[in-house]
């Protein structure tokens, strides 16, 4: 871990001192206030968390460490992970060191496979993934060092160590789960000559004569890697980590949030919806047919998966990147054509419906049909792919949080009676 540890060794003390002084000087300055609708409405828009790895301006979408995601779409995930943690792009030497380092940590302990093999055959792949990570907790270097006794200033160091181990192992773990859960035959040995995402694609065992599936995996891993700090998975990871639970506990917890249908599970729901469209109309529907189908979905009280966002108010640039990939790699695919048509029709329907604040597609609207096109057809598995990628963001946020010496989370909750009294007082 020479290079990234060197860089962080240089950066962390200065950063910690800067933030400490800044907070001391401005401790009582108000940066946000909370309205009743926010207290009951998922704290939407309340600025009470700090996350320096990325931001999501509603009118631009994801920006990682100052770089719009569109500029990063051709980078390797290892480079983006390095960027998330350190705040700078790796040079060739740092990237090579990162790739080698992660590859050297890829082995998943045997007891993890035994644990997963003991699970019911129909367990959701996300449960297996989260449990697999939790089962590995005994590998935590942070917990070992903490038990031995370390200074607070050292926490980030062993968190980084845990996170590198975890990220190194996740492709192996996730690919093994895929093969086990969907009866694909024995696990495939990792190939240390391949980059992290290509190796993941290789271990999944999807036939890839053109190499495009590997390209899709690289893109997928970059696009899902982080989305600031307030989304359910990032916030959960941060909250659990703030108790100094190690990265295995914290990332596993975050993934349990990612597994929800309003968050990461939406990608599986999205493809399911597109398939229902194709089945109902025997192919790509007309605009009118699609419009009616969308209204039927809305009138039955369901959401249109892949559309809307808690923060965004424009087409998600990650959707745009996937759409561009699909246009190049599989424009003839009927599922891609439906996704394309959905993009033309659904925003208008959602605007007319008048509920969703954001009628535009999010990242989940296009990813599923691309995976399906290349033969990854088990859509229950899609959130695991999201999780492998998002673990990078969760880990980076955890490392930075430990580097800054952030406190355990403990916001104040109030009763409805208290809110009513506060309202009455004006
Ligand atoms: N279809 C139908 N109704 C929608 C909608 C959609 N795609 N998106 C939002 N709405 C509805 C909400 O359900 C809400 O209705 P109620 O007032 O009856 O509760 C209303 O519009 C207002 O919601 P909002 O403020 O615009 O959106 P939220 O911040 O509450 O929720 C999200 C955001 C993503 C959960 C929501 O847009 C949604 O359910 N989308 C579909 C699922 C999806 O694609 N999730 C993936 C998100 C990406 C990610 O987390 O990574």
């Amino acid at each position: 871990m020479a290079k990234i540890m060197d860089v962080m060794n240089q950066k962390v003390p200065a950063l910690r001192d800067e933030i400490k002084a800044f907070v001391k000087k401005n401790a009582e300055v108000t940066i946000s206030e909370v309205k009743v609708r926010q207290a009951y409405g998922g704290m939407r828009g309340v600025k009470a968390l700090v996350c320096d790895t990325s931001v999501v301006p509603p009118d631009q979408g994801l920006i990682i460490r100052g770089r719009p995601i569109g500029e990063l779409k051709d980078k390797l995930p290892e480079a983006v992970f390095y960027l998330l943690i350190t705040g700078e792009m790796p040079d060739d030497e740092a990237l090579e060191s990162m790739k080698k380092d992660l590859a050297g940590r890829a082995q998943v302990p045997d007891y993890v496979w035994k644990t997963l093999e003991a699970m019911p055959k129909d367990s959701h792949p996300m449960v297996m993934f989260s449990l697999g990570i939790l089962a590995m907790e005994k590998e935590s270097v942070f917990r070992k060092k903490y038990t031995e006794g370390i200074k607070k200033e050292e926490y980030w160091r062993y968190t980084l160590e845990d996170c590198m181990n975890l990220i190194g192992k996740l492709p192996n773990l996730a690919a093994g789960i895929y093969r086990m859960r969907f009866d694909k035959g024995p696990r495939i040995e990792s190939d240390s000559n391949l980059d992290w995402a290509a190796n993941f694609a290789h271990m999944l065992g999807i036939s890839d004569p053109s190499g495009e599936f590997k390209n899709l995996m690289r893109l997928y891993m970059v696009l899902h890697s982080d989305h600031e700090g307030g989304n359910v998975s990032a916030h959960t990871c941060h909250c659990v980590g703030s108790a100094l639970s190690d990265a295995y506990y914290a990332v596993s917890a975050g993934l349990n949030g990612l597994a929800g249908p309003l968050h990461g599970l939406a990608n599986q729901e999205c493809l399911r919806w597109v398939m229902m469209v194709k089945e109902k109309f025997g192919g790509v529907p007309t605009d009118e047919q699609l419009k009616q189908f969308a209204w039927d979905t809305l009138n039955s009280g369901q959401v249109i998966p892949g559309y809307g966002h808690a923060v965004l108010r424009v087409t998600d640039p990650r959707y745009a990147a996937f759409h561009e990939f699909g246009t190049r790699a599989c424009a003839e695919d009927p599922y891609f054509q439906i996704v394309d048509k959905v993009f033309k029709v659904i925003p208008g329907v959602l605007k007319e419906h008048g509920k969703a604040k954001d009628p535009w597609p999010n990242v989940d609207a296009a990813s599923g049909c691309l995976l399906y096109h290349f033969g990854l057809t088990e859509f229950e598995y899609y959130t695991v792919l999201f999780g492998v990628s998002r673990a990078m963001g969760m880990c980076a946020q955890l490392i930075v949080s430990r580097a800054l010496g952030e406190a355990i989370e403990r916001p104040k909750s109030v009763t409805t009676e208290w809110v009513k009294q506060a309202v009455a007082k004006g």
Side-chain angles (χ1 to χ4, degrees), residues 165-411:
N165 278 329
L166 196 51
I167 298 302
K169 291 178 197 323
L170 288 192
N172 239 315
L173 176 67
I177 288 171
Y178 176 70
R179 299 195 62 79
M180 184 189 300
R181 176 63 174 70
F182 299 105
D183 294 322
K184 298 287 177 183
R187 288 187 291 280
I188 297 171
E189 276 296 306
S190 77
D191 179 348
S192 57
N193 293 316
L194 292 172
D195 58 80
W196 185 77
N199 192 28
F200 185 20
H202 155 75
M203 288 186 288
L204 286 167
I206 305 288
S207 163
D208 186 25
S210 67
E212 283 288 23
F213 182 64
K214 291 189 182 66
N215 287 334
L216 177 60
M217 277 297 108
R218 292 182 183 113
L219 179 66
Y220 194 105
M221 293 297 133
V222 166
L223 295 183
H224 289 83
S225 59
D226 202 35
H227 218 230
E228 67 177 41
N231 64 76
V232 167
S233 48
H235 183 208
T236 304
C237 179
H238 181 269
C239 183
V240 172
S242 81
L244 295 186
S245 302
D246 59 57
Y248 297 85
Y249 280 121
V251 172
S252 172
L255 289 168
N256 296 342
L258 192 74
L262 295 188
H263 193 9
L265 204 77
N267 56 8
Q268 98 171 38
E269 294 306 313
C270 209
L271 184 60
R272 204 193 301 279
W273 195 82
V274 168
M275 286 177 135
M276 272 159 39
V277 170
K278 180 164 177 277
E279 197 171 312
K280 170 141 187 179
F281 300 107
V284 183
T286 64
D287 288 12
E288 272 318 303
Q289 286 171 324
L290 186 56
K291 217 173 176 180
Q292 190 51 53
F293 192 84
W295 274 110
D296 291 346
T297 300
L298 292 169
N299 290 336
S300 68
Q302 295 170 63
V303 295
I304 311 277
Y307 279 72
H309 201 271
V311 175
L312 281 173
R313 296 297 175 258
V314 287
T315 294
D316 190 332
R318 301 171 300 169
Y319 170 86
F322 274 136
H323 189 271
E324 186 188 298
F325 185 96
T327 306
R328 181 176 59 73
C330 58
E332 304 308 315
D333 185 298
Y335 291 117
F336 181 71
Q337 289 180 356
I338 294 175
V339 164
D340 192 40
K341 195 170 269 257
V342 167
F343 180 42
K344 291 182 179 110
V345 170
I346 294 303
V349 172
L350 283 175
K351 280 182 200 166
E352 199 180 329
H353 185 240
K355 267 187 160 187
K357 293 188 189 70
D358 170 38
W360 303 107
N362 61 55
V363 67
D364 294 328
S367 57
C369 81
L370 300 180
L371 296 168
Y372 200 84
H373 172 82
F374 285 99
L376 214 169
T377 55
E378 297 81 5
F379 44 72
E380 266 194 302
Y381 185 75
Y382 293 173
T383 313
V384 175
L385 297 174
F386 192 158
V388 174
S389 170
R390 185 52 63 86
M392 287 190 283
M394 289 196 263
C395 282
Q397 292 187 24
L398 207 56
I399 295 161
V400 174
S401 172
R402 295 272 165 92
L404 296 181
E406 282 182 2
I408 184 169
E409 268 198 40
R410 187 42 171 110

Side-chain angles (χ1 to χ4, degrees), residues 68-83:
I69 190 67
E71 285 177 19
L72 296 170
K73 65 182 193 305
D74 298 321
K75 302 287 179 202
L76 286 177
E78 295 92 320
V80 174
F81 188 37
Y82 185 99
L83 172 68

